[in-house]
Amino acid sequence: MEKEPIKNHQDLKVYQMAFDAAMKIFELSKKFPVEERYSLTDQIRRSSRSVCANLAEAWRKRRYEAAFVAKLNDSEAEAAETQTWIEFAVKCNYLDVELGRELQRFLLLRGTLSKNKNIIFL
């Protein structure tokens, strides 16, 4: 069975996983306390969405290796930031430990992007 050609960033598995994680974080963060609205809630939503946005930008800049790698690095950095906010959410008892681990695993996949540029095309 032949793979469909990748036509845009939304066809990338890594983008789809990042998008799913960001949407899950959005839904879960709706239950965070109101006093976290302008801190933890805002930050975790922004950084998780930024992973996807940077992957989309990397896709558009794939013809220029340095720009492509820079955007992958930005995506990795946003994934790391999101992992940190998840850790805070777990420690503050806003997220269940196992759910936090599941979200962390989604984001760990992005930890090898800049080391292996080809992973984005899997």
Side-chain angles (χ1 to χ4, degrees), residues 25-88:
I25 286 168
F26 174 73
E27 288 301 321
L28 291 168
S29 66
K30 287 179 180 179
K31 298 176 183 146
F32 289 2
V34 71
E35 65 265 16
E36 292 287 5
R37 180 179 299 143
Y38 300 111
S39 54
L40 180 60
T41 304
D42 183 55
Q43 293 292 352
I44 198 169
R45 287 177 179 177
R46 284 175 189 249
S47 63
S48 66
R49 290 172 180 167
S50 188
V51 174
C52 300
N54 281 297
L55 288 170
E57 288 183 51
W59 170 256
R60 291 291 183 183
K61 294 182 177 189
R62 67 192 181 279
R63 291 171 196 85
Y64 313 102
E65 186 173 354
F68 176 70
V69 171
K71 281 297 164 188
L72 292 182
N73 284 331
D74 291 346
S75 185
E76 274 185 321
E78 293 296 338
E81 180 181 345
T82 304
Q83 289 173 321
T84 301
W85 294 123
I86 290 168
E87 187 177 352
F88 276 110

Short mmCIF file of all heavy atoms in Angstrom, two decimals, residues 25-88:
data_model
loop_
_atom_site.label_atom_id
_atom_site.label_comp_id
_atom_site.label_asym_id
_atom_site.label_seq_id
_atom_site.Cartn_x
_atom_site.Cartn_y
_atom_site.Cartn_z
N ILE A 25 -4.89 19.60 25.82
CA ILE A 25 -4.49 20.56 26.84
C ILE A 25 -5.53 21.68 26.96
O ILE A 25 -5.89 22.09 28.07
CB ILE A 25 -3.07 21.12 26.54
CG1 ILE A 25 -2.03 20.04 26.85
CG2 ILE A 25 -2.80 22.42 27.31
CD1 ILE A 25 -0.64 20.34 26.34
N PHE A 26 -6.03 22.16 25.83
CA PHE A 26 -7.06 23.19 25.85
C PHE A 26 -8.28 22.72 26.63
O PHE A 26 -8.78 23.43 27.51
CB PHE A 26 -7.45 23.58 24.42
CG PHE A 26 -8.61 24.53 24.37
CD1 PHE A 26 -8.44 25.86 24.73
CD2 PHE A 26 -9.85 24.09 23.97
CE1 PHE A 26 -9.52 26.74 24.70
CE2 PHE A 26 -10.93 24.95 23.94
CZ PHE A 26 -10.77 26.27 24.31
N GLU A 27 -8.76 21.53 26.32
CA GLU A 27 -9.95 21.01 27.00
C GLU A 27 -9.70 20.81 28.50
O GLU A 27 -10.52 21.19 29.33
CB GLU A 27 -10.40 19.68 26.37
CG GLU A 27 -11.02 19.85 25.00
CD GLU A 27 -12.24 20.76 25.00
OE1 GLU A 27 -13.05 20.70 25.94
OE2 GLU A 27 -12.39 21.53 24.03
N LEU A 28 -8.55 20.25 28.84
CA LEU A 28 -8.24 20.01 30.25
C LEU A 28 -8.05 21.32 31.01
O LEU A 28 -8.45 21.43 32.18
CB LEU A 28 -6.98 19.15 30.37
CG LEU A 28 -7.11 17.71 29.90
CD1 LEU A 28 -5.74 17.06 29.78
CD2 LEU A 28 -8.01 16.92 30.84
N SER A 29 -7.47 22.31 30.36
CA SER A 29 -7.19 23.57 31.06
C SER A 29 -8.45 24.39 31.33
O SER A 29 -8.42 25.32 32.12
CB SER A 29 -6.17 24.41 30.27
OG SER A 29 -6.70 24.83 29.04
N LYS A 30 -9.55 24.04 30.70
CA LYS A 30 -10.83 24.70 30.99
C LYS A 30 -11.24 24.49 32.45
O LYS A 30 -11.99 25.28 33.00
CB LYS A 30 -11.94 24.18 30.08
CG LYS A 30 -11.86 24.65 28.66
CD LYS A 30 -13.01 24.05 27.85
CE LYS A 30 -12.98 24.47 26.41
NZ LYS A 30 -14.10 23.86 25.65
N LYS A 31 -10.71 23.41 33.04
CA LYS A 31 -11.05 23.07 34.42
C LYS A 31 -10.08 23.65 35.44
O LYS A 31 -10.25 23.45 36.64
CB LYS A 31 -11.13 21.55 34.56
CG LYS A 31 -12.21 20.94 33.70
CD LYS A 31 -12.20 19.44 33.79
CE LYS A 31 -13.27 18.88 32.85
NZ LYS A 31 -12.90 17.63 32.27
N PHE A 32 -9.04 24.35 34.98
CA PHE A 32 -8.09 24.97 35.90
C PHE A 32 -8.80 26.08 36.66
O PHE A 32 -9.75 26.69 36.15
CB PHE A 32 -6.89 25.54 35.16
CG PHE A 32 -5.94 24.53 34.58
CD1 PHE A 32 -6.15 23.16 34.68
CD2 PHE A 32 -4.80 24.95 33.90
CE1 PHE A 32 -5.26 22.25 34.13
CE2 PHE A 32 -3.91 24.05 33.35
CZ PHE A 32 -4.14 22.69 33.47
N PRO A 33 -8.34 26.39 37.86
CA PRO A 33 -8.97 27.46 38.64
C PRO A 33 -8.92 28.81 37.93
O PRO A 33 -7.97 29.09 37.17
CB PRO A 33 -8.15 27.51 39.93
CG PRO A 33 -7.39 26.24 39.98
CD PRO A 33 -7.23 25.77 38.57
N VAL A 34 -9.91 29.62 38.18
CA VAL A 34 -10.01 30.93 37.53
C VAL A 34 -8.79 31.81 37.83
O VAL A 34 -8.38 32.60 36.99
CB VAL A 34 -11.35 31.62 37.88
CG1 VAL A 34 -11.37 32.09 39.33
CG2 VAL A 34 -11.64 32.76 36.92
N GLU A 35 -8.20 31.66 39.01
CA GLU A 35 -7.04 32.49 39.36
C GLU A 35 -5.81 32.15 38.51
O GLU A 35 -4.85 32.91 38.48
CB GLU A 35 -6.70 32.41 40.85
CG GLU A 35 -6.26 31.05 41.33
CD GLU A 35 -7.39 30.21 41.93
OE1 GLU A 35 -8.57 30.53 41.71
OE2 GLU A 35 -7.07 29.23 42.60
N GLU A 36 -5.86 31.03 37.78
CA GLU A 36 -4.75 30.64 36.89
C GLU A 36 -4.96 31.13 35.46
O GLU A 36 -4.13 30.91 34.60
CB GLU A 36 -4.59 29.12 36.88
CG GLU A 36 -4.12 28.52 38.17
CD GLU A 36 -2.65 28.79 38.46
OE1 GLU A 36 -1.98 29.52 37.69
OE2 GLU A 36 -2.16 28.26 39.47
N ARG A 37 -6.07 31.82 35.20
CA ARG A 37 -6.43 32.22 33.83
C ARG A 37 -5.30 32.97 33.11
O ARG A 37 -5.01 32.71 31.96
CB ARG A 37 -7.68 33.08 33.84
CG ARG A 37 -8.08 33.53 32.43
CD ARG A 37 -9.34 34.36 32.42
NE ARG A 37 -10.45 33.59 32.94
CZ ARG A 37 -11.41 34.10 33.69
NH1 ARG A 37 -11.41 35.36 34.00
NH2 ARG A 37 -12.39 33.33 34.12
N TYR A 38 -4.68 33.91 33.78
CA TYR A 38 -3.66 34.74 33.13
C TYR A 38 -2.24 34.26 33.40
O TYR A 38 -1.28 34.95 33.06
CB TYR A 38 -3.83 36.20 33.55
CG TYR A 38 -5.19 36.71 33.16
CD1 TYR A 38 -6.15 37.00 34.12
CD2 TYR A 38 -5.54 36.86 31.82
CE1 TYR A 38 -7.41 37.45 33.75
CE2 TYR A 38 -6.79 37.30 31.44
CZ TYR A 38 -7.73 37.60 32.41
OH TYR A 38 -8.97 38.02 32.05
N SER A 39 -2.10 33.11 33.99
CA SER A 39 -0.76 32.58 34.20
C SER A 39 -0.69 31.16 33.61
O SER A 39 -0.47 31.01 32.41
CB SER A 39 -0.39 32.62 35.68
OG SER A 39 -1.36 31.97 36.46
N LEU A 40 -0.88 30.16 34.42
CA LEU A 40 -0.70 28.78 33.96
C LEU A 40 -1.60 28.43 32.77
O LEU A 40 -1.12 27.88 31.77
CB LEU A 40 -0.95 27.80 35.12
CG LEU A 40 -0.80 26.32 34.81
CD1 LEU A 40 0.60 26.00 34.33
CD2 LEU A 40 -1.14 25.49 36.03
N THR A 41 -2.87 28.76 32.85
CA THR A 41 -3.79 28.41 31.76
C THR A 41 -3.36 29.06 30.46
O THR A 41 -3.27 28.39 29.41
CB THR A 41 -5.24 28.84 32.11
OG1 THR A 41 -5.60 28.24 33.36
CG2 THR A 41 -6.21 28.43 31.04
N ASP A 42 -3.09 30.34 30.49
CA ASP A 42 -2.68 31.06 29.30
C ASP A 42 -1.36 30.52 28.75
O ASP A 42 -1.23 30.27 27.54
CB ASP A 42 -2.55 32.55 29.63
CG ASP A 42 -2.21 33.39 28.42
OD1 ASP A 42 -2.94 33.31 27.41
OD2 ASP A 42 -1.21 34.12 28.48
N GLN A 43 -0.39 30.30 29.62
CA GLN A 43 0.93 29.86 29.18
C GLN A 43 0.92 28.46 28.58
O GLN A 43 1.54 28.21 27.55
CB GLN A 43 1.93 29.93 30.35
CG GLN A 43 2.23 31.32 30.81
CD GLN A 43 3.02 32.11 29.77
OE1 GLN A 43 3.47 31.60 28.76
NE2 GLN A 43 3.17 33.39 30.02
N ILE A 44 0.21 27.54 29.22
CA ILE A 44 0.20 26.16 28.72
C ILE A 44 -0.52 26.08 27.37
O ILE A 44 -0.12 25.34 26.48
CB ILE A 44 -0.40 25.18 29.76
CG1 ILE A 44 0.00 23.75 29.43
CG2 ILE A 44 -1.91 25.32 29.87
CD1 ILE A 44 -0.31 22.76 30.55
N ARG A 45 -1.57 26.89 27.22
CA ARG A 45 -2.27 26.92 25.93
C ARG A 45 -1.39 27.53 24.84
O ARG A 45 -1.32 27.00 23.73
CB ARG A 45 -3.57 27.71 26.05
CG ARG A 45 -4.65 26.97 26.82
CD ARG A 45 -5.88 27.84 26.96
NE ARG A 45 -6.94 27.15 27.67
CZ ARG A 45 -8.11 27.71 27.98
NH1 ARG A 45 -8.36 28.97 27.63
NH2 ARG A 45 -9.02 27.02 28.63
N ARG A 46 -0.75 28.63 25.15
CA ARG A 46 0.10 29.30 24.14
C ARG A 46 1.26 28.42 23.71
O ARG A 46 1.54 28.28 22.52
CB ARG A 46 0.65 30.61 24.70
CG ARG A 46 -0.35 31.71 24.75
CD ARG A 46 0.31 32.92 25.43
NE ARG A 46 -0.65 33.95 25.71
CZ ARG A 46 -0.69 35.12 25.10
NH1 ARG A 46 0.18 35.41 24.15
NH2 ARG A 46 -1.60 36.01 25.41
N SER A 47 1.96 27.83 24.67
CA SER A 47 3.14 27.05 24.30
C SER A 47 2.76 25.77 23.55
O SER A 47 3.43 25.40 22.59
CB SER A 47 3.99 26.72 25.53
OG SER A 47 3.29 25.93 26.45
N SER A 48 1.66 25.12 23.94
CA SER A 48 1.25 23.90 23.23
C SER A 48 0.83 24.22 21.79
O SER A 48 1.13 23.46 20.87
CB SER A 48 0.14 23.17 23.98
OG SER A 48 -1.05 23.92 24.01
N ARG A 49 0.16 25.33 21.59
CA ARG A 49 -0.24 25.73 20.23
C ARG A 49 0.98 26.15 19.41
O ARG A 49 1.02 25.95 18.20
CB ARG A 49 -1.24 26.87 20.30
CG ARG A 49 -2.59 26.42 20.84
CD ARG A 49 -3.48 27.60 21.08
NE ARG A 49 -4.77 27.16 21.60
CZ ARG A 49 -5.66 27.98 22.13
NH1 ARG A 49 -5.42 29.28 22.19
NH2 ARG A 49 -6.81 27.51 22.57
N SER A 50 1.95 26.72 20.08
CA SER A 50 3.15 27.18 19.38
C SER A 50 3.96 26.02 18.82
O SER A 50 4.65 26.18 17.80
CB SER A 50 4.00 28.03 20.33
OG SER A 50 5.04 28.63 19.62
N VAL A 51 3.88 24.85 19.44
CA VAL A 51 4.56 23.67 18.89
C VAL A 51 4.03 23.44 17.47
O VAL A 51 4.81 23.29 16.53
CB VAL A 51 4.33 22.42 19.77
CG1 VAL A 51 4.92 21.18 19.11
CG2 VAL A 51 4.92 22.61 21.17
N CYS A 52 2.72 23.44 17.34
CA CYS A 52 2.09 23.23 16.03
C CYS A 52 2.44 24.34 15.05
O CYS A 52 2.76 24.08 13.89
CB CYS A 52 0.57 23.18 16.16
SG CYS A 52 -0.01 21.88 17.22
N ALA A 53 2.35 25.56 15.50
CA ALA A 53 2.63 26.71 14.63
C ALA A 53 4.06 26.67 14.10
O ALA A 53 4.31 26.93 12.91
CB ALA A 53 2.38 28.01 15.38
N ASN A 54 5.00 26.31 14.94
CA ASN A 54 6.39 26.24 14.51
C ASN A 54 6.63 25.07 13.55
O ASN A 54 7.44 25.18 12.63
CB ASN A 54 7.33 26.16 15.71
CG ASN A 54 7.55 27.51 16.33
OD1 ASN A 54 8.09 28.41 15.69
ND2 ASN A 54 7.10 27.69 17.56
N LEU A 55 5.91 23.98 13.74
CA LEU A 55 6.02 22.87 12.78
C LEU A 55 5.47 23.29 11.43
O LEU A 55 6.04 22.95 10.38
CB LEU A 55 5.27 21.64 13.31
CG LEU A 55 5.93 20.92 14.48
CD1 LEU A 55 4.99 19.87 15.06
CD2 LEU A 55 7.25 20.29 14.05
N ALA A 56 4.37 24.03 11.43
CA ALA A 56 3.80 24.53 10.17
C ALA A 56 4.78 25.47 9.47
O ALA A 56 4.98 25.39 8.25
CB ALA A 56 2.47 25.24 10.44
N GLU A 57 5.40 26.34 10.25
CA GLU A 57 6.39 27.26 9.66
C GLU A 57 7.61 26.50 9.14
O GLU A 57 8.15 26.84 8.09
CB GLU A 57 6.81 28.30 10.69
CG GLU A 57 5.74 29.32 10.99
CD GLU A 57 6.22 30.38 11.96
OE1 GLU A 57 7.29 30.97 11.72
OE2 GLU A 57 5.51 30.62 12.95
N ALA A 58 8.03 25.48 9.87
CA ALA A 58 9.16 24.66 9.41
C ALA A 58 8.84 24.01 8.07
O ALA A 58 9.67 23.99 7.16
CB ALA A 58 9.51 23.59 10.45
N TRP A 59 7.62 23.51 7.95
CA TRP A 59 7.20 22.89 6.69
C TRP A 59 7.33 23.88 5.53
O TRP A 59 7.84 23.56 4.47
CB TRP A 59 5.78 22.37 6.81
CG TRP A 59 5.19 21.94 5.50
CD1 TRP A 59 4.27 22.60 4.74
CD2 TRP A 59 5.50 20.74 4.78
NE1 TRP A 59 4.00 21.90 3.60
CE2 TRP A 59 4.73 20.75 3.59
CE3 TRP A 59 6.36 19.67 5.02
CZ2 TRP A 59 4.79 19.72 2.66
CZ3 TRP A 59 6.41 18.64 4.09
CH2 TRP A 59 5.63 18.67 2.92
N ARG A 60 6.89 25.10 5.74
CA ARG A 60 6.95 26.12 4.69
C ARG A 60 8.39 26.53 4.37
O ARG A 60 8.67 26.96 3.26
CB ARG A 60 6.17 27.36 5.09
CG ARG A 60 4.69 27.16 5.13
CD ARG A 60 4.19 26.97 3.74
NE ARG A 60 2.74 26.85 3.76
CZ ARG A 60 2.02 26.63 2.70
NH1 ARG A 60 2.58 26.51 1.53
NH2 ARG A 60 0.72 26.53 2.81
N LYS A 61 9.28 26.38 5.33
CA LYS A 61 10.68 26.80 5.13
C LYS A 61 11.60 25.62 4.84
O LYS A 61 12.82 25.76 4.87
CB LYS A 61 11.17 27.56 6.37
CG LYS A 61 10.43 28.87 6.56
CD LYS A 61 10.93 29.63 7.75
CE LYS A 61 10.20 30.96 7.84
NZ LYS A 61 10.77 31.83 8.83
N ARG A 62 11.03 24.48 4.52
CA ARG A 62 11.83 23.26 4.34
C ARG A 62 12.85 23.34 3.23
O ARG A 62 13.82 22.60 3.21
CB ARG A 62 10.92 22.05 4.16
CG ARG A 62 10.13 22.05 2.87
CD ARG A 62 9.03 20.99 2.88
NE ARG A 62 8.29 20.97 1.63
CZ ARG A 62 7.30 21.81 1.32
NH1 ARG A 62 6.95 22.74 2.18
NH2 ARG A 62 6.67 21.71 0.17
N ARG A 63 12.68 24.25 2.29
CA ARG A 63 13.64 24.40 1.19
C ARG A 63 14.95 25.05 1.64
O ARG A 63 15.95 24.98 0.94
CB ARG A 63 13.03 25.27 0.08
CG ARG A 63 11.90 24.60 -0.65
CD ARG A 63 11.19 25.58 -1.58
NE ARG A 63 9.91 25.07 -2.01
CZ ARG A 63 8.77 25.19 -1.34
NH1 ARG A 63 8.77 25.79 -0.18
NH2 ARG A 63 7.66 24.71 -1.81
N TYR A 64 14.89 25.70 2.79
CA TYR A 64 16.06 26.42 3.32
C TYR A 64 16.47 25.76 4.63
O TYR A 64 15.87 26.00 5.67
CB TYR A 64 15.70 27.89 3.54
CG TYR A 64 14.99 28.49 2.34
CD1 TYR A 64 13.61 28.67 2.35
CD2 TYR A 64 15.70 28.84 1.20
CE1 TYR A 64 12.94 29.20 1.25
CE2 TYR A 64 15.05 29.36 0.09
CZ TYR A 64 13.66 29.54 0.12
OH TYR A 64 13.01 30.04 -0.98
N GLU A 65 17.47 24.93 4.55
CA GLU A 65 17.83 24.07 5.68
C GLU A 65 18.01 24.83 7.00
O GLU A 65 17.48 24.40 8.02
CB GLU A 65 19.10 23.26 5.37
CG GLU A 65 19.39 22.27 6.46
CD GLU A 65 20.53 21.32 6.13
OE1 GLU A 65 21.04 21.33 5.00
OE2 GLU A 65 20.91 20.56 7.05
N ALA A 66 18.73 25.92 6.98
CA ALA A 66 18.97 26.65 8.23
C ALA A 66 17.66 27.17 8.84
O ALA A 66 17.44 27.06 10.05
CB ALA A 66 19.93 27.82 8.00
N ALA A 67 16.78 27.71 8.02
CA ALA A 67 15.49 28.22 8.51
C ALA A 67 14.61 27.07 8.99
O ALA A 67 13.93 27.18 10.02
CB ALA A 67 14.78 29.01 7.41
N PHE A 68 14.65 25.96 8.26
CA PHE A 68 13.90 24.77 8.63
C PHE A 68 14.32 24.25 10.00
O PHE A 68 13.49 24.05 10.89
CB PHE A 68 14.12 23.70 7.54
CG PHE A 68 13.49 22.37 7.82
CD1 PHE A 68 12.11 22.21 7.79
CD2 PHE A 68 14.28 21.26 8.08
CE1 PHE A 68 11.53 20.96 8.02
CE2 PHE A 68 13.72 20.02 8.31
CZ PHE A 68 12.34 19.86 8.28
N VAL A 69 15.61 24.09 10.18
CA VAL A 69 16.15 23.59 11.45
C VAL A 69 15.85 24.58 12.59
O VAL A 69 15.51 24.17 13.70
CB VAL A 69 17.66 23.28 11.34
CG1 VAL A 69 18.27 22.96 12.70
CG2 VAL A 69 17.88 22.12 10.38
N ALA A 70 15.95 25.86 12.31
CA ALA A 70 15.65 26.87 13.34
C ALA A 70 14.21 26.74 13.82
O ALA A 70 13.94 26.81 15.02
CB ALA A 70 15.91 28.27 12.80
N LYS A 71 13.29 26.53 12.89
CA LYS A 71 11.87 26.38 13.28
C LYS A 71 11.64 25.08 14.04
O LYS A 71 10.83 25.03 14.96
CB LYS A 71 10.96 26.46 12.05
CG LYS A 71 10.73 27.87 11.60
CD LYS A 71 10.00 28.62 12.70
CE LYS A 71 10.04 30.09 12.55
NZ LYS A 71 9.50 30.76 13.72
N LEU A 72 12.35 24.03 13.67
CA LEU A 72 12.25 22.78 14.43
C LEU A 72 12.77 22.99 15.85
O LEU A 72 12.20 22.48 16.82
CB LEU A 72 13.00 21.65 13.73
CG LEU A 72 12.43 21.17 12.40
CD1 LEU A 72 13.28 20.02 11.87
CD2 LEU A 72 10.98 20.76 12.53
N ASN A 73 13.87 23.74 15.97
CA ASN A 73 14.41 24.05 17.30
C ASN A 73 13.40 24.85 18.11
O ASN A 73 13.22 24.62 19.31
CB ASN A 73 15.72 24.82 17.19
CG ASN A 73 16.88 23.93 16.83
OD1 ASN A 73 16.91 22.75 17.15
ND2 ASN A 73 17.84 24.49 16.12
N ASP A 74 12.72 25.82 17.47
CA ASP A 74 11.69 26.60 18.16
C ASP A 74 10.56 25.69 18.63
O ASP A 74 10.05 25.84 19.74
CB ASP A 74 11.12 27.69 17.25
CG ASP A 74 12.12 28.80 16.95
OD1 ASP A 74 13.16 28.89 17.64
OD2 ASP A 74 11.85 29.57 15.99
N SER A 75 10.19 24.74 17.80
CA SER A 75 9.13 23.80 18.17
C SER A 75 9.54 22.96 19.37
O SER A 75 8.76 22.75 20.30
CB SER A 75 8.81 22.89 16.98
OG SER A 75 7.73 22.05 17.27
N GLU A 76 10.78 22.50 19.36
CA GLU A 76 11.31 21.75 20.50
C GLU A 76 11.28 22.58 21.78
O GLU A 76 10.92 22.08 22.85
CB GLU A 76 12.76 21.35 20.25
CG GLU A 76 12.94 20.09 19.50
CD GLU A 76 14.41 19.72 19.41
OE1 GLU A 76 15.27 20.59 19.23
OE2 GLU A 76 14.68 18.52 19.54
N ALA A 77 11.67 23.84 21.66
CA ALA A 77 11.69 24.72 22.83
C ALA A 77 10.28 24.92 23.38
O ALA A 77 10.07 24.89 24.60
CB ALA A 77 12.32 26.06 22.46
N GLU A 78 9.32 25.09 22.51
CA GLU A 78 7.93 25.26 22.95
C GLU A 78 7.40 23.97 23.57
O GLU A 78 6.64 24.01 24.55
CB GLU A 78 7.04 25.70 21.78
CG GLU A 78 7.36 27.08 21.26
CD GLU A 78 7.10 28.20 22.26
OE1 GLU A 78 6.30 28.02 23.21
OE2 GLU A 78 7.71 29.27 22.09
N ALA A 79 7.81 22.83 23.03
CA ALA A 79 7.41 21.55 23.62
C ALA A 79 7.98 21.42 25.03
O ALA A 79 7.29 20.98 25.95
CB ALA A 79 7.87 20.39 22.73
N ALA A 80 9.23 21.82 25.22
CA ALA A 80 9.85 21.78 26.54
C ALA A 80 9.14 22.72 27.50
O ALA A 80 8.92 22.37 28.67
CB ALA A 80 11.33 22.13 26.44
N GLU A 81 8.77 23.90 27.01
CA GLU A 81 8.02 24.83 27.87
C GLU A 81 6.68 24.22 28.28
O GLU A 81 6.28 24.28 29.44
CB GLU A 81 7.80 26.16 27.16
CG GLU A 81 7.02 27.14 28.03
CD GLU A 81 6.75 28.47 27.35
OE1 GLU A 81 7.38 28.79 26.33
OE2 GLU A 81 5.89 29.19 27.88
N THR A 82 6.01 23.61 27.32
CA THR A 82 4.72 22.99 27.62
C THR A 82 4.88 21.87 28.64
O THR A 82 4.06 21.74 29.56
CB THR A 82 4.07 22.45 26.33
OG1 THR A 82 3.96 23.51 25.38
CG2 THR A 82 2.69 21.88 26.60
N GLN A 83 5.95 21.10 28.52
CA GLN A 83 6.22 20.04 29.50
C GLN A 83 6.37 20.63 30.91
O GLN A 83 5.90 20.05 31.88
CB GLN A 83 7.47 19.26 29.12
CG GLN A 83 7.28 18.39 27.91
CD GLN A 83 8.59 17.77 27.45
OE1 GLN A 83 9.64 18.40 27.48
NE2 GLN A 83 8.52 16.54 27.00
N THR A 84 7.02 21.77 30.99
CA THR A 84 7.19 22.42 32.29
C THR A 84 5.85 22.86 32.87
O THR A 84 5.58 22.65 34.06
CB THR A 84 8.14 23.64 32.15
OG1 THR A 84 9.39 23.18 31.64
CG2 THR A 84 8.35 24.33 33.48
N TRP A 85 4.99 23.45 32.03
CA TRP A 85 3.67 23.86 32.51
C TRP A 85 2.82 22.66 32.91
O TRP A 85 2.07 22.73 33.89
CB TRP A 85 2.95 24.70 31.45
CG TRP A 85 3.61 26.02 31.18
CD1 TRP A 85 4.07 26.47 29.98
CD2 TRP A 85 3.91 27.05 32.13
NE1 TRP A 85 4.63 27.72 30.12
CE2 TRP A 85 4.54 28.10 31.44
CE3 TRP A 85 3.70 27.19 33.50
CZ2 TRP A 85 4.97 29.27 32.04
CZ3 TRP A 85 4.13 28.35 34.12
CH2 TRP A 85 4.76 29.37 33.41
N ILE A 86 2.97 21.54 32.20
CA ILE A 86 2.27 20.32 32.58
C ILE A 86 2.73 19.87 33.95
O ILE A 86 1.93 19.48 34.80
CB ILE A 86 2.47 19.21 31.53
CG1 ILE A 86 1.72 19.56 30.24
CG2 ILE A 86 2.02 17.85 32.07
CD1 ILE A 86 2.09 18.67 29.06
N GLU A 87 4.04 19.94 34.18
CA GLU A 87 4.59 19.56 35.48
C GLU A 87 4.00 20.42 36.60
O GLU A 87 3.61 19.92 37.66
CB GLU A 87 6.11 19.69 35.45
CG GLU A 87 6.79 19.15 36.68
CD GLU A 87 8.30 19.23 36.58
OE1 GLU A 87 8.85 19.55 35.51
OE2 GLU A 87 8.95 18.96 37.61
N PHE A 88 3.89 21.74 36.35
CA PHE A 88 3.26 22.62 37.34
C PHE A 88 1.80 22.23 37.57
O PHE A 88 1.32 22.20 38.71
CB PHE A 88 3.33 24.09 36.89
CG PHE A 88 4.61 24.78 37.24
CD1 PHE A 88 5.50 25.13 36.23
CD2 PHE A 88 4.93 25.09 38.56
CE1 PHE A 88 6.69 25.77 36.55
CE2 PHE A 88 6.12 25.73 38.88
CZ PHE A 88 7.01 26.07 37.87
#
